[in-house]
Amino acid sequence: MSVNQQAHTGPPYGQPQPGYQGYQQPAYGGQSLPGAPQSQYGAYNGPMPGYQQPVPPQGYFPSLGFPSKGSPVSLNSDTSSLAPNFIGPLRAPPTSGAPPPASGASHPSGHVAYSQFEHGDVQNGIPGSAAPMQRPPASQPFLPGSAPTPVSQISTFQQYGPPPASVQQLRNHMAGMTIGCTAASAPPPAGLGYGVGPSSYPPTTGAPRPPAMPGPPLPGQTVAGPPSSQPNHVSSPPPPSTMAGLHPGPPMSGLHGPPPPTHPPQPGYQMQQNGSFGQMRGPQPNYGGAYPGAPNYGTPPGPPPPPKRLDPDSIPSPQLNELPPQQKPRHRIDPDAIPSPIQVIEDDRNNRGSEPFVTGVRGQVPPLVTTNFLVKDQGNASPRYIRCTSYNIPCTSDMAKQSQVPLAAVIKPLATLPPEETLPYLVDHGESGPVRCNRCKAYMCPFMQFIEGGRRFQCCFCSCVTEVPPHYFQHLDHTGKRVDFYDRPELSLGSYEFLATVDYCKNNKFPSPPAFIFMIDVSYNAVKSGLVRLICEELKSLLDYLPREGNMEESAIRVGFVTYNKVLHFYNVKSSLAQPQMMVVSDVADMFVPLLDGFLVNVNESRTVIASLLDQIPEMFADTRETETVFAPVIQAGLEALKAAECAGKLFIFHTSLPIAEAPGKLKNRDDRKLINTDKEKTLFQPQTSFYNNLAKDCVAQGCCVDLFLFPNQYLDVATLGVVPYQTGGSIYKYAYFQLETDQYRFLNDLRRDVQKEVGFDAVMRVRTSTGIRATDFFGAFYMSNTTDVEMAGLDCDKTITVEFKHDDKLSEDSGALLQCALLYTSCAGQRRLRIHNLSLNCCTQLADLYRNCETDTLINYLAKYAYRGVLSSPVKTVRDALINQCAQILACYRKNCASPSSAGQLILPECMKLLPVYLNCVLKSDVLQPGPEVTTDDRAYIRQLVTSMDVAETNVFFYPRLLPLTKADVDSDSLPAAIRNSEERLSKGDIYLLENGLNIFVWVGVNVQQGLIQNLFGVSSFSQISNALSTLPVLENPFSKKVRSIVDMLQGQRSRYMKLIIVKQEDKLEMLFKHFLVEDKSLSGGASYVDFLCHMHKEIRQLLS
C-alpha cells in the first residue's frame, strides 16, 4: 500500500458522497440544471479567475515520442527540477469534435501532466537548478482510501527538431515504451490559492480545463515501477529492425531492464517538462486518432503488444484533511488517453474489414461485430450464427475459476445472412434421415473421423465408434478424408440443414403449415386513438407478404381474426361467404373456439371476405364505451384455435391497457416506485401471478408463439404480460402514449417486419459439446422442461440463445473443444428441418492464451444477460456489486499471472479486454440496474426482456450508442462520418449530431448551427422554428438532406426494430433524455463517468491483488 493511500472510510461505490455539495452541471447557456444530483466524486470549483495561461518556452518540445527497442524505461512524475518559465499545459475547450491542433507550436488541447523519471533513472536533458521548486500538494484520491488512477497511452512516433544525443541513445534502448502518465493539479501562481476538482461531467465548452502538473513525491512515497509498452494503446509503429528477435508470447508488461546509460548534460536544450515523452494528446497529423493502429484482433501472427497501464502512484496525494473544503482537487485523467471504443472499432475495421473471414482454422477470433466483413464457411459456423466469449478455453476448471472469464456462446441459429453469403445447404438423406453418433446422437459434421477404410466413424464429441450406413459409405483418400468430402455440406461446412424424417415430428406425423392469428383490442382507448383503423388498413395489404419458402408462388400460412375487449369476437371468413360472420364468446372463464371451419383460411381464397371484415371492424366499434379489457383469455383462444387446427402458429396481439376485467389472468396495478433500491425491488420484475407461466407452458407444447404489441397510456405490467411472449420465443413491441401522427410509421414498420421475417415453429434446440465441457446455463426467450432442451414455440431470425459452459473434465490442447448446436424446427411451409452449427475452439494451459483470444463484445452480452436475470431474485445493488467484482477478478487475474511485475499503481488491461471497463460501466448505468427518475417500471421490465434475446451487435450499440457528427458527413460519398465518443465534451454548439442505440435515433442540433444547414435539413429558417414533434425528417431536394436521410435509412436497415426518431434542440427539455445516452459522462441517476469508473475498477483490482 503506498503512503498516499488512506484507510477506506468513504461510503460504498455508487452512492452519493456525504459532505460534498453536488455540483450543478452548467447547461450550455451557463445556467445550472435543476435537479442535478449530488456529485458522487466531490465538487468542481472551476479554474480561478485571472489565472494566466503560460506560453511554452522556446525550444520546448511538447510531445516527443520514440520508437524503441530493448528494455523499457519508466517515466514517472517525480522530476523536481523544471524549466523556470514552464507552468503546465492548459486544456482548451473542446471544439466541434475536431482534433486538437498538432503539438508543436503551442500546447495541444487534451494535455495532462505526465510522469517523468524515477529516482535512480537517468533524466534526459539538462538537470534544472539545484533547488527544486516548491509546490503545494494538490491532489485527492478517487474515494477516501483509494489512490487515483490516471491513464496512459503509447506515444506516436513524431519528432520535432533534432533530439538530444541522449534521446538518440534512449531510442535504441527502449522497447515499446509506455508512459505511466499521470495528471495532477497545477501549482498555483505565486500567492494564488486555487483548488481544482474535475467535474463529474466534463467541463462544458467555455471553461478551460485547469493546467496540470505533477508534484514531488511525498517523503517515503514509493514511486511506480517502469511502465512498458502496452496493448491498451498500441505503441507507435516501430522501424522494421525493432521486430527482429521478438517472439510471439503473452502480452508482457514492464520487465525491469538496466537504466539507460548516463550522459553529460547537453547544452542548448531546456529541461523537458511534463509531456515531453508522454503523450496524452489529441490526434497527431497523419494518425487516425488518439491511438494509432490498434492490433489486429484474432490474427495469429505477430508478437502481441504488451499490456496497458495507468499509473497513479507516481503522483503525490496529500491527506484530504490538509486541504480546505473548496480545495480538494483530484487528478484529472485525460479522456483521450484512456481506451476508446471508437478507436478500437475503427482499427478493427481497417485491419480486418477488407479480407474475408475464412472459418477453416480452429479457434480463430472473428472481426468485431461493428466491422463489415464477408464470411467464407470452411468447416466452422459463421460468427453471424455463433460468437464466443473466448476462442481459447482453459484446459481445467481450476484455471477457468481462477480467471473468472465466463465461457459462453451467443447463438443465433436462424440469423439473416448478407446477400453475398450462401444460405445453409439443405441435405436430404431420404427416409433413413441424418447420420448420427450411436451414443451421444451428435449429427455428422466435419470433425467426425472416418476409420477402417471409411466403414466406421469415430465421434468427435464422445469418441464412440459407429458403423457407416451402407448408403452413406464412401472410400477415403490418402489423407484419410472421404473422397466426397467437398460434395457433402455436412463434411465440409460449419453450418447446414437436414430434412427431418417423420421420426422427428410430433405424434410421428408431418406437421401442417403454421397459422397467423391477428387479435385486436377494440376497447375505447384503442378505437379513439385511431389504432384499430390503422391496423385494419395495414393488414389489407400486409397479408400479401406472409413468409414463404424460396420458390413458392404463395405463402402456405393460413390466417384468422379475433377482436376483444371484455368479451371475444371470432370471425368466420370462409371463402364461400358473401359477408364475414361474427361470433361472440362472453364466457371468458372457460374459453373455447366457437367455429372450426372458416376461422383459419388461405388469404388468396378468402381475400374479398377478409377485406370486407377489415373495413367493417373500425365501424362496428366506433362508438364503443367499453374501457376494460381481458388478456389471458385472448391467448387461450388463439391456443385453442391452433390445437383444433392441429398446427403451430403465431398470435399477433395488439393490446392497450392493464387487464382488470373479471377473467382468468386478471391483474391489479402494483406499480410502486418506493420499492426501488429496496430488497423488494425484484418483485417489480417478477410476474404478479403464476397463471401466465402455466399458460406459456401450454403454448410451447402446442407451438403457439405470441408477439405482443403494446400501446400503454399508463402502467400495464409488462413484467406479467410479457411472460407468455417471452417463454414462447415471441417478441414484445411497446409504443407508450401512442399518437397516430408521430408513431404510426414506426409501428407499421415494426409490424411489417415482424409479419414478414423468417421464423421457425415448434422449435427445440440442443447444444452438444466434446468431452470435458458441457452446457450448464441458458439465457433467452424460451422455455425449458428439462436441463438440456431449449424449447421455443417460435424462433425468428433476430433471436439469440446464450449458452454458458462449465468444465466436467480436463480438456487437451491437442484436440481442442467442439460445440454443435442442433435446432429442430418447422419451416413456414410446414417442412420439418434440422439446422446444424458446428464450432471448434482451442484449449490452453496458459492464462495468457485465454486472455489473448477473448471477445469483449460477447462477454458484455453475456454479463448483461446474467445481470438482467439476477434482478429477478436479488436486490439490484447485489447484482451490480457482483458484476463489478467479477470484472475486477478477471482483470486482477490477468495482472497477477500474465503481466510482468510493476508498480501496483499501474492499471494493466489485456489488449482484447481494454474496453471491458467502459462497456461494463454502461451496463451498470443502464435503466434496469440504475434507473433515472423518469424511467417507468414497465420500461425497465421491457428493456430487461428485450436485452435477454439480443445478439452481440445489438447489445454493443444498445449499451454504447453510436454518435455521428452529421455536419462532417461527405455528401458525395456513401460512407458514414467517423463516429465520436459518447460524451457531452465532444459536442460542439455549431454542429448537428446523430445518436442511435437500436431503439431510438436522436438528432441533436446545437444552438449555433448555421442557418443554411437548418434550412437544408428541416426546411425552416431558424433554430427556434425546428419542431420537436417531427417523427421523420422532411424530404427536401438538397445534398445535405439526402445524405442525412440516407444515413438514417441505412441505420434503420441494420436494426431489427424501427428506431424512433427524436429531434433534440440544445438547451431543450428533451436534452436531458439525450444526455442519458452520453454514456462516458456521469449520469443523472448517479452512474459514474468512464474516467471515474476506471479509477474505481483500478482500486478494486488493487484490493484483490493486495
Side-chain angles (χ1 to χ4, degrees), residues 826-904:
T826 302
S827 75
C828 57
Q831 203 175 47
R832 202 73 176 144
R833 294 182 178 183
L834 283 151
R835 179 167 289 200
I836 313 295
H837 298 297
N838 303 288
L839 187 63
S840 59
L841 302 172
N842 286 329
C843 297
C844 58
T845 52
Q846 300 295 317
L847 282 164
D849 291 327
L850 163 70
Y851 283 101
R852 204 183 294 123
N853 291 281
C854 287
E855 234 258 296
T856 300
D857 293 323
T858 310
L859 191 56
I860 287 293
N861 180 286
Y862 165 83
L863 291 171
K865 290 171 180 177
Y866 185 79
Y868 281 17
R869 185 175 69 183
V871 298
L872 291 172
S873 51
S874 308
V876 171
K877 185 182 184 312
T878 310
V879 173
R880 292 166 50 80
D881 292 347
L883 265 186
I884 293 171
N885 185 43
Q886 180 169 5
C887 288
Q889 286 186 337
I890 290 172
L891 297 174
C893 173
Y894 175 81
R895 173 66 192 261
K896 186 176 171 188
N897 299 289
C898 307
S900 37
S902 57
S903 148

Side-chain angles (χ1 to χ4, degrees), residues 998-1015:
L999 296 182
N1000 299 305
I1001 288 182
F1002 293 90
V1003 174
W1004 182 91
V1005 187
V1007 284
N1008 296 347
V1009 172
Q1010 292 171 6
Q1011 196 178 335
L1013 281 176
I1014 292 176
Q1015 182 71 51

Side-chain angles (χ1 to χ4, degrees), residues 715-1040:
Y715 177 75
L716 51 56
D717 202 346
V718 172
T720 306
L721 298 188
V723 167
V724 179
Y726 184 66
Q727 293 191 17
T728 58
S731 305
I732 305 177
Y733 297 85
K734 181 165 159 285
Y735 311 88
Y737 307 107
F738 178 81
Q739 287 183 314
L740 208 59
E741 55 280 3
T742 54
D743 297 316
Q744 66 166 333
Y745 197 63
R746 179 166 61 111
F747 160 59
L748 293 179
N749 273 284
D750 283 342
L751 176 59
R752 285 166 197 156
R753 190 166 190 283
D754 197 57
V755 167
Q756 294 173 40
K757 67 184 171 188
E758 182 188 358
V759 59
F761 294 96
D762 226 343
V764 183
M765 186 183 101
R766 182 177 283 195
V767 178
R768 292 179 174 83
T769 53
S770 52
T771 313
I773 53 170
R774 62 194 170 88
T776 54
D777 207 352
F778 301 85
F779 304 82
F782 53 74
Y783 173 78
M784 290 186 82
S785 54
N786 58 34
T787 55
T788 55
D789 293 335
V790 175
E791 299 173 48
M792 294 154 289
L795 172 69
D796 64 49
C797 56
D798 298 322
K799 295 283 185 305
T800 63
I801 294 95
T802 301
V803 185
E804 185 179 10
F805 303 97
K806 290 261 179 8
H807 287 75
D808 56 7
D809 204 346
K810 281 197 171 125
L811 295 163
S812 92
E813 282 189 283
D814 298 338
S815 53
L818 301 173
L819 318 175
Q820 184 179 77
C821 160
L823 176 78
L824 175 65
Y825 71 100
T826 302
S827 75
C828 57
Q831 203 175 47
R832 202 73 176 144
R833 294 182 178 183
L834 283 151
R835 179 167 289 200
I836 313 295
H837 298 297
N838 303 288
L839 187 63
S840 59
L841 302 172
N842 286 329
C843 297
C844 58
T845 52
Q846 300 295 317
L847 282 164
D849 291 327
L850 163 70
Y851 283 101
R852 204 183 294 123
N853 291 281
C854 287
E855 234 258 296
T856 300
D857 293 323
T858 310
L859 191 56
I860 287 293
N861 180 286
Y862 165 83
L863 291 171
K865 290 171 180 177
Y866 185 79
Y868 281 17
R869 185 175 69 183
V871 298
L872 291 172
S873 51
S874 308
V876 171
K877 185 182 184 312
T878 310
V879 173
R880 292 166 50 80
D881 292 347
L883 265 186
I884 293 171
N885 185 43
Q886 180 169 5
C887 288
Q889 286 186 337
I890 290 172
L891 297 174
C893 173
Y894 175 81
R895 173 66 192 261
K896 186 176 171 188
N897 299 289
C898 307
S900 37
S902 57
S903 148
Q906 291 170 327
L907 173 58
I908 304 180
L909 303 169
E911 174 57 30
C912 290
M913 288 189 186
K914 64 186 178 192
L915 299 180
L916 188 61
V918 62
Y919 286 162
L920 178 70
N921 190 33
C922 297
V923 174
L924 293 170
K925 287 158 66 166
S926 64
D927 291 337
V928 173
L929 298 182
Q930 195 163 35
E934 71 297 333
V935 180
T936 66
T937 307
D938 275 345
D939 286 335
R940 297 177 74 196
Y942 173 62
I943 294 297
R944 195 192 75 77
Q945 294 198 5
L946 202 56
V947 167
T948 308
S949 46
M950 275 186 182
D951 71 9
V952 180
E954 288 171 321
T955 49
N956 173 275
V957 78
F958 179 77
F959 289 115
Y960 193 94
R962 178 149 56 162
L963 183 59
L964 305 173
L966 293 179
T967 24
K968 303 274 188 295
D970 178 358
V971 293
D972 298 322
S973 91
D974 291 339
S975 59
L976 293 172
I980 59 171
R981 291 172 66 172
N982 282 200
S983 169
E984 187 177 346
E985 192 170 37
R986 312 273 166 176
L987 304 180
S988 145
K989 295 183 179 188
D991 286 326
I992 302 174
Y993 298 87
L994 179 148
L995 181 144
E996 64 128 352
N997 72 341
L999 296 182
N1000 299 305
I1001 288 182
F1002 293 90
V1003 174
W1004 182 91
V1005 187
V1007 284
N1008 296 347
V1009 172
Q1010 292 171 6
Q1011 196 178 335
L1013 281 176
I1014 292 176
Q1015 182 71 51
N1016 284 344
L1017 189 56
F1018 299 104
V1020 295
S1021 54
S1022 70
F1023 177 81
S1024 59
Q1025 291 175 306
I1026 299 171
S1027 163
N1028 288 32
L1030 291 174
S1031 57
T1032 54
L1033 290 169
V1035 178
L1036 302 171
E1037 286 303 314
N1038 65 71
F1040 185 60

